[in-house]
Amino acid sequence: MTSAAGVVARALVLAALPTALPTALPASLPSALPWALLVLAAVVLLLVGGIAARRAARRRRAERVRRATEPLRPLLLELVAGEPDEQADAASRLTALAPPVWRSVEPAVVALLSKVRGDSRAEVVGLLEDRGVLARARADLHRRGAVERARAAELVGAAGDATSVPALVELLTADRAGEVRLVAARALGRIGAAEAAAPLLSALREPRGRGGVPPQVLAHALLRLGPAAAGHLTAALVDDSAAVRATACEILGRVGAVGSVAALRERLRGDASPEVRARAATALGRLGMPSALPDLVAASAPPAPGAVRTCAVRALGELGDPRAVPVLAGLLADDDGRVAALAGPALVGLGGPGRTALHEAADPGAPEAAAAPDDAVDAVPDAAAADAPEDAAPGGPLVRARAREALVMAQLREVVPAQRRPSRARAVAPARLVGDGA
Amino acid sequence: MTTVLVADDDSDIRELVAFKLGQAGYDVLAVGDGAAALETARAQEPDLAILDLMMPGLSGLDVCSQLRRDEATAALPVIMLTAKAQEQDVATGFATGADDYVVKPFSPRELVSRVQAVLARTAS
């Protein structure tokens, strides 16, 4: 309201200007100028007044809707969070609402779709189906107006309407409006149908600047498809587009697709794109399959590019296989500072054997230091360490400092959570819980 | 009666959680921002707190770490209720001291089960 008043005040000042201008302006200026300014000021005033009136009308409408829906709130809550019999009763009462009352409560019902899942969402979807809202949205996916198509796509996506997948795929691949394609991608992700994986991956090939959907939206949608899309994603690892291959690597790692390990190892070993190799290394670390160890060890050493090496070192830490200890211990002395800095935390990630190696590197000969596991993988980066400057050579001050830093950081991470719970004295008695909360 | 503090800036979620927990027999204190959550936790001493991660002003993470620093509230069980579902987000939630992590959109019925489980776990 205050800002609207400010705008009106500024417009009034503008409107007053033309009366002062004729005396201030040189006589050579055309005499129509003051009139033009006057008309401009009047137009501005009208616009400001129109905006203010529209806002006020919107506020009044929102208030009217609120008043109309307020008595129905308990019914909505019972629909989504009640016991099964309450849910059924609420659904039948909401289905029977007169059309004008339903129109005012419909936005509140639709809003609940994105907030609940499971049975609660199923109840909301059932109600929207019964009231014909979803049928209308399915039809609206083919409307002429882009806003109507986008709104419909948003609704069928929020409702998880699997029957809309073909229409949404068509919107994603062929709609002339970029915004509609973006909403369609998001909706396909929310529905979670595996058949959406191929069109979502294809959309990654399109250049962003020509109405293409942003890659992060497509990647997020693919992620939401979950392991069901693993087959499509694994097939995409040999796509012509590096962007598609890199995204497929990333998603496979995140959805825990352990069946794709062999294909990911192949990408890590020989993909032409360092980005794809780096993502493959990260994915293999996330998947945690020991069979990836030799490829990750090889990728952690030169001549692999720096980005691939750093991802491989992190992945070795996540893999948790103690056979990587001597490799990572050797990398503490690596020429590449980023690789060397990550080797310490990766050793911490390997648990006891990794920490022992760090103690050994931090303080050679100390009692904590012990021999590495017998079946350790050959220390691939030894050659790199041999060429390192004296400070960064094994046993040098830089390596000792890196090892100490990793140990201190690990201790800090352990100490802080341990200190955050000084006492459980206020914990609730079990009898009270059973009696009150069950 | 077991009291649960619910802090979420989304009134629909607040109302929904309060309704479901009330139905399950809990006494609910519902607030709309982090500062109010902190104040209520200190003043009313609830038995458990459900915190939205992203609230205006103090976030759920901020509230959780402040609760953990204060001796009076350090043992208060906390469940994070949030739309941020990436593994890093979940890890951050637990590192800050949360006892459980529920991702939005959520199932009201499952949330009640989680509340019961966390209360039972922290009581033992």
Side-chain angles (χ1 to χ4, degrees):
Chain A
M1 197 65 196
T2 313
S3 64
V7 172
V8 172
R10 279 197 296 277
L12 285 172
V13 171
L14 266 178
L17 269 177
T19 56
L21 275 173
T23 52
L25 291 172
S28 58
L29 278 177
S31 60
L33 184 61
W35 290 107
L37 286 171
L38 194 63
V39 169
L40 185 67
V43 169
V44 169
L45 262 180
L46 276 174
L47 278 174
V48 170
I51 291 169
R54 200 172 163 183
R55 282 184 181 173
R58 200 180 295 162
R59 268 198 301 275
R60 278 198 301 275
R61 198 168 51 241
E63 182 56 28
R64 237 188 356 259
V65 168
R66 196 193 62 76
R67 275 203 305 271
T69 55
E70 201 59 45
L72 296 169
R73 289 299 291 176
L75 215 51
L76 290 183
L77 292 172
E78 279 176 14
L79 178 79
V80 289
E83 293 304 312
D85 54 334
E86 290 172 329
Q87 286 182 316
D89 180 53
S92 63
R93 287 170 66 188
L94 286 163
T95 307
L97 284 179
V101 183
W102 168 256
R103 270 196 298 278
S104 62
V105 82
E106 186 186 307
V109 176
V110 170
L112 287 172
L113 270 181
S114 59
K115 295 174 184 178
V116 290
R117 63 178 173 80
D119 293 348
S120 302
R121 192 173 83 144
E123 288 294 335
V124 179
V125 171
L127 175 64
L128 294 174
E129 197 72 86
D130 290 347
R131 295 277 344 186
V133 178
L134 287 177
R136 204 168 61 227
R138 286 182 204 114
D140 284 353
L141 291 172
H142 309 286
R143 283 274 291 269
R144 280 179 67 95
V147 173
E148 284 82 5
R149 291 198 303 279
R151 195 178 288 152
E154 183 72 25
L155 180 53
V156 295
D161 183 39
T163 62
S164 297
V165 168
L168 288 169
V169 168
E170 200 183 319
L171 291 183
L172 171 69
T173 53
D175 200 279
R176 58 189 180 278
E179 292 78 6
V180 175
R181 301 175 64 200
L182 186 147
V183 177
R186 226 166 36 200
L188 285 167
R190 290 171 97 171
I191 294 170
E195 63 262 37
L200 285 167
L201 284 161
S202 294
L204 278 166
R205 294 194 198 98
E206 289 162 27
R208 170 75 186 98
R210 289 165 53 197
V213 181
Q216 62 271 30
V217 173
L218 294 166
H220 191 65
L222 283 162
L223 189 59
R224 293 188 79 155
L225 301 185
H232 292 282
L233 291 163
T234 307
L237 288 176
V238 291
D239 195 277
D240 289 342
S241 157
V244 171
R245 296 197 305 276
T247 306
C249 288
E250 181 74 27
I251 310 293
L252 284 165
R254 286 183 184 270
V255 300
V258 288
S260 64
V261 166
L264 286 168
R265 287 176 62 191
E266 207 177 311
R267 287 303 99 206
L268 174 59
R269 280 196 301 267
D271 200 283
S273 159
E275 170 76 10
V276 175
R277 293 182 68 193
R279 302 264 185 164
T282 303
L284 288 166
R286 283 204 175 105
L287 293 173
M289 298 294 279
S291 59
L293 184 70
D295 295 311
L296 286 172
V297 168
S300 70
V308 177
R309 296 186 66 206
T310 52
C311 288
V313 170
R314 272 200 211 98
L316 284 170
E318 287 192 7
L319 206 60
D321 192 324
R323 288 177 296 165
V325 167
V327 177
L328 291 170
L331 288 173
L332 286 169
D334 199 86
D335 282 346
D336 186 329
R338 290 167 306 168
V339 170
L342 288 168
L347 280 164
V348 171
L350 297 184
R355 284 171 189 252
T356 303
L358 279 171
H359 282 294
E360 169 67 29
D363 194 4
E368 294 92 337
D374 291 340
D375 57 347
V377 170
D378 289 341
V380 177
D382 272 0
D387 295 335
E390 201 176 317
D391 281 359
L398 199 52
V399 171
R400 289 203 299 273
R402 282 171 185 154
R404 282 184 192 135
E405 186 187 353
L407 286 166
V408 167
M409 292 307 290
Q411 277 168 354
L412 274 176
R413 273 195 295 273
E414 283 155 14
V415 166
V416 172
Q419 281 184 344
R420 71 171 202 247
R421 297 286 177 90
S423 143
R424 291 270 181 188
R426 285 198 61 259
V428 187
R432 191 179 167 198
L433 168 71
V434 173
D436 295 336
Chain B
M1 189 181 262
T2 306
T3 305
V4 178
L5 166 66
V6 178
D8 200 309
D9 58 329
D10 182 331
S11 59
D12 277 349
I13 302 273
R14 222 163 47 227
E15 221 175 324
L16 201 57
V17 174
F19 175 82
K20 192 65 190 171
L21 290 176
Q23 214 179 33
Y26 295 100
D27 197 10
V28 179
L29 306 164
V31 298
D33 61 70
L38 209 52
E39 197 184 312
T40 309
R42 285 169 181 156
Q44 311 270 337
E45 302 190 350
D47 300 295
L48 180 140
I50 298 174
L51 305 174
D52 175 29
L53 202 74
M54 290 180 289
M55 289 186 284
L58 285 179
S59 73
L61 290 177
D62 296 332
V63 174
C64 189
S65 50
Q66 291 203 33
L67 289 172
R68 295 291 174 244
R69 278 202 294 271
D70 185 341
E71 204 178 328
T73 56
L76 175 67
V78 170
I79 296 177
M80 289 287 180
L81 181 61
T82 173
K84 297 184 97 177
Q86 294 296 305
E87 57 188 87
Q88 187 54 48
D89 302 320
V90 179
T92 307
F94 281 118
T96 316
D99 295 85
D100 205 349
Y101 201 94
V102 176
V103 175
K104 292 179 192 169
F106 70 105
S107 154
R109 211 163 284 159
E110 185 190 318
L111 181 67
V112 171
S113 303
R114 300 256 194 160
V115 166
Q116 289 168 343
V118 169
L119 283 170
R121 204 163 57 228
T122 50
S124 59

